[in-house]
Amino acid sequence: MGQDPATSYAATALKAAQAQYIQENPKSQKLQFDSREYMPGGNTRTILHVSPFPLTFESGEGATLTSVDGDTYLDFLGEYSAGLFGHSNTQIKDAVTAALAKGWNFGGQCTYEKILAKKVVERFEASGMEHVRFTNSGTESNTMAIAAAVSITGRKKILVFSGGYHGGTLIFPMEFMRNPNVPNSNLPHEFVFAPYNNISETDTVISGLPANSLAAILVEPLQGSGGCRQASPEFLRYLRHQADQLGALFIVDEVMASRLGVNGYSASVGVRADLLTLGKYIGGGMTFGAFGGRRDIMALFDPNTSRLQHPGTYNNNIVTMSAGIVALDIYDKKAVAQLNKRGTNMKLALQDVLIKYGLYAQHSDGASRNIVEIDSFEGPTTIKQKHSDSVSQEQLPKIFITGQGSMLNIRFSGEDCAAWQSLFYHHMLARKIYLAPRGYTPLHLAISDSDVAEYVAGLEEFVKLHHKALTS
């Protein structure tokens, strides 16, 4: 019988770290406490909640954020991929300022939307984007893609995967799939659950569906909120094949993952979506979403001839459209390659630390190892073996790195993984390094090699400080 997570080493250490955090951030604490009078829990964006309270920031510049308590942090979160350009990027700022000087809230079409649509289609056509429509978030993009699939096919069921996150009303953690009665705010579609990256169990799920009932398969090729977990190319090809065989639409959610390839992630692994959803960084840090795909599908949104409506007051807002045009110019082929290379080097350095201190098992790939997880409804998540004929099952390490290119995640496993994750978060904050509480670390263009070295040093200090507990 394992140790009670509430009284574990990590939980005890976390209490001490949080006590120090409270002492060092009195202004953030007061602002959070006072705002509870007007917002539930003092919060209007769930993901920013952290115990005992979140930091409140008052400014950002380049690669740094400054809190109301006067501390400056290296920002390794990049607004969850929306802040790919760092803080206060002058090119984007100038573009928005120039656009606003001509007015906004036209209540009509603008020239900026025409230019951005052309750029988006030309950029992501290889991943399936032949026509595009703009929204205000990734949530809206996936909502519209699902609605289109249901309408076009006349079917109701949507296949989704464990660990998937497709927006605030489309969240599918494993615990929810195992117990759908868990309170949630998901849209009331007929969702069908399958384990991520598990071809055999997914095949069983699909085989059990009534004929002609599946409208769409919705998948992230690299799960952002789910821990930067990448789908194997075989899994994506299998899903593409199943969609074709069943007459379902293949919806690929690249709201985050599109940043990993200049033409989108799907194109980089040789897969083409029927519908592709985008968001985050493409709006230059402004509110943005997009969905698009095959011309015959998107033609159903043509107001001259179609039955499908897609209104939205801010779909073509001047601020986002003007910022997005410049954003795609900045994040060109060279910038994509450079940022991915920095992320790859960072992952090597982080995994070198884990190998050095005996936290990774011996593997032929060494520090370049890429952990790909296979979920299961019948047992624990395991690591995909390098050779397909291997019958052995490898469990996740106590602490490990997932992701690829510029999207990385420090993660923990085991009964007390939540306490370890929070402890690492507070450890890095104490070193004035800001990241997501879940360990999500997407790089942005203002991050330098010296900043990366600071992060790696932070991980090594954490491992040395808690080495005995991490290896026991």
Side-chain angles (χ1 to χ4, degrees):
M1 185 174 180
Q3 184 179 7
D4 182 355
T7 60
S8 67
Y9 170 91
T12 301
L14 176 59
K15 288 179 182 177
Q18 289 178 334
Q20 179 184 350
Y21 174 82
I22 292 170
Q23 184 177 1
E24 293 178 352
N25 297 285
K27 292 182 180 179
S28 289
Q29 182 182 34
K30 186 177 188 307
L31 282 170
Q32 180 68 13
F33 180 84
D34 291 347
S35 65
R36 292 187 302 178
E37 181 69 21
Y38 312 104
M39 295 185 288
N43 178 277
T44 190
R45 185 180 174 193
T46 304
I47 200 169
L48 299 183
H49 172 73
V50 64
S51 182
F53 54 85
L55 293 171
T56 295
F57 296 105
E58 62 180 7
S59 65
E61 184 68 32
T64 64
L65 287 165
T66 300
S67 74
V68 294
D69 297 283
D71 294 313
T72 298
Y73 296 79
L74 275 175
D75 178 17
F76 272 89
L77 180 53
E79 181 54 296
Y80 290 86
S81 277
L84 182 68
F85 307 93
H87 300 282
S88 308
N89 180 281
T90 55
Q91 290 172 266
I92 293 175
K93 180 181 178 181
D94 289 347
V96 171
T97 301
L100 290 176
K102 300 178 182 178
W104 59 96
N105 295 132
F106 292 167
Q109 296 191 1
C110 66
T111 57
Y112 300 104
E113 71 195 82
K114 314 299 185 185
I115 299 170
L116 183 58
K118 182 175 186 291
K119 282 181 172 290
V120 169
V121 168
E122 290 180 348
R123 177 92 169 234
F124 298 106
E125 193 279 335
S127 287
M129 183 73 75
E130 297 176 1
H131 266 180
V132 67
R133 289 184 73 91
F134 297 124
T135 68
N136 294 281
S137 68
T139 301
E140 286 186 26
S141 299
N142 284 308
T143 298
M144 291 306 303
I146 292 173
V150 169
S151 178
I152 290 164
T153 63
R155 304 171 182 179
K156 300 294 185 182
K157 297 186 184 298
I158 310 295
L159 183 64
V160 293
F161 300 93
S162 53
Y165 177 93
H166 306 285
T169 54
L170 297 163
I171 307 173
F172 304 101
M174 178 64 87
E175 55 265 34
F176 171 69
M177 291 192 167
R178 287 176 170 157
N179 181 14
N181 293 322
V182 171
N184 68 87
S185 57
N186 281 349
L187 293 171
H189 286 290
E190 292 184 21
F191 293 112
V192 178
F193 303 148
Y196 192 63
N197 260 341
N198 194 321
I199 293 176
S200 62
E201 288 189 34
T202 299
D203 206 47
T204 299
V205 170
I206 291 175
S207 298
L209 295 176
N212 303 317
S213 65
L214 189 65
I217 298 173
L218 173 61
V219 67
E220 293 168 276
L222 188 142
Q223 294 183 332
S225 181
C228 286
R229 306 191 315 156
Q230 63 192 96
S232 67
E234 310 94 86
F235 186 62
L236 293 175
R237 288 193 291 268
Y238 162 78
L239 297 179
R240 173 70 272 181
H241 174 73
Q242 287 296 317
D244 291 338
Q245 292 294 108
L246 297 169
L249 296 189
F250 187 44
I251 305 174
V252 182
D253 177 350
E254 291 203 29
V255 169
M256 287 192 183
S258 63
R259 60 180 283 162
L260 298 176
V262 68
N263 301 123
Y265 190 99
S266 297
S268 69
V269 294
V271 173
R272 190 177 180 89
D274 293 320
L275 286 170
L276 187 74
T277 58
L278 302 171
K280 302 294 184 185
Y281 70 96
I282 298 173
M286 313 306 166
T287 176
F288 175 82
F291 71 99
R294 286 171 17 203
R295 282 177 176 263
D296 62 313
I297 295 173
M298 296 304 293
L300 296 173
F301 289 97
D302 182 342
N304 293 294
T305 58
S306 91
R307 67 180 185 273
L308 294 183
Q309 294 193 29
H310 170 227
T313 302
Y314 299 106
N315 288 351
N316 64 336
N317 76 85
I318 295 290
V319 174
T320 296
M321 298 295 104
S322 60
I325 292 168
V326 177
L328 287 181
D329 287 340
I330 296 171
Y331 198 52
D332 58 11
K333 183 177 182 178
K334 181 179 179 181
V336 172
Q338 288 178 337
L339 195 60
N340 279 335
K341 180 64 174 176
R342 178 163 285 137
T344 298
N345 290 339
M346 180 175 174
K347 185 178 178 181
L348 284 169
L350 292 169
Q351 296 198 140
D352 264 332
V353 170
L354 300 184
I355 292 171
K356 176 181 175 180
Y357 290 94
L359 295 169
Y360 262 19
Q362 290 294 321
H363 192 271
S364 59
D365 289 342
S368 65
R369 185 180 190 187
N370 192 31
I371 290 180
V372 177
E373 297 163 69
I374 300 177
D375 284 350
S376 174
F377 290 163
E378 301 170 359
T381 295
T382 56
I383 299 175
K384 185 179 187 297
Q385 297 301 295
K386 188 173 182 180
H387 303 291
S388 60
D389 58 351
S390 175
V391 295
S392 63
Q393 288 192 333
E394 182 182 353
Q395 304 301 311
L396 294 170
K398 182 82 172 181
I399 177 173
F400 59 106
I401 321 295
T402 46
Q404 70 177 81
S406 63
M407 287 178 64
L408 303 176
N409 212 127
I410 307 284
R411 293 169 55 204
F412 296 83
S413 67
E415 291 182 352
D416 55 352
C417 61
W420 278 110
Q421 196 77 67
S422 187
L423 181 60
F424 177 70
Y425 171 71
H426 282 284
H427 170 83
M428 296 300 269
L429 288 183
R431 287 184 61 98
K432 301 300 178 282
I433 294 174
Y434 185 65
L435 69 162
R438 66 175 185 253
Y440 181 43
T441 308
L443 301 188
H444 56 79
L445 295 174
I447 288 288
S448 68
D449 288 338
S450 61
D451 296 333
V452 169
E454 283 289 322
Y455 190 105
V456 175
L459 174 70
E460 182 163 17
E461 181 183 70
F462 179 83
V463 168
K464 288 167 68 176
L465 185 62
H466 305 291
H467 185 257
K468 185 177 179 180
L470 286 168
T471 54
S472 62

